[in-house]
Amino acid sequence: MNITFNRTETALAVDELSEFVEQMADVLRSVQPICNWMGTEMIVNRSGLSIGMIRL
């Protein structure tokens, strides 16, 4: 499963990313209850950008 988001005028601050990822994981858990959920993870890519991952 791959989910993308459209850019908005309001940027998400890095310190808000973890909470956003957890909220998205809650939404996905509610619509995909049969998935084997492995959890969420925050990583920093080679460019130094923070990325939230939801593993299932």
Side-chain angles (χ1 to χ4, degrees):
M1 177 184 321
N2 188 2
I3 298 174
T4 59
F5 297 92
N6 291 329
R7 183 178 294 264
T8 65
E9 291 183 21
T10 306
L12 182 67
V14 173
D15 62 338
E16 298 172 325
L17 182 58
S18 180
E19 181 180 347
F20 176 77
V21 170
E22 289 299 329
Q23 289 174 355
M24 287 306 303
D26 288 343
V27 170
L28 291 174
R29 283 185 200 103
S30 71
V31 298
Q32 295 293 328
I34 63 170
C35 289
N36 180 24
W37 292 94
M38 299 168 59
T40 59
E41 181 180 0
M42 301 302 296
I43 64 169
V44 177
N45 70 8
R46 293 179 184 167
S47 299
L49 298 173
S50 295
I51 298 173
M53 297 176 60
I54 302 169
R55 296 188 180 270
L56 51 122

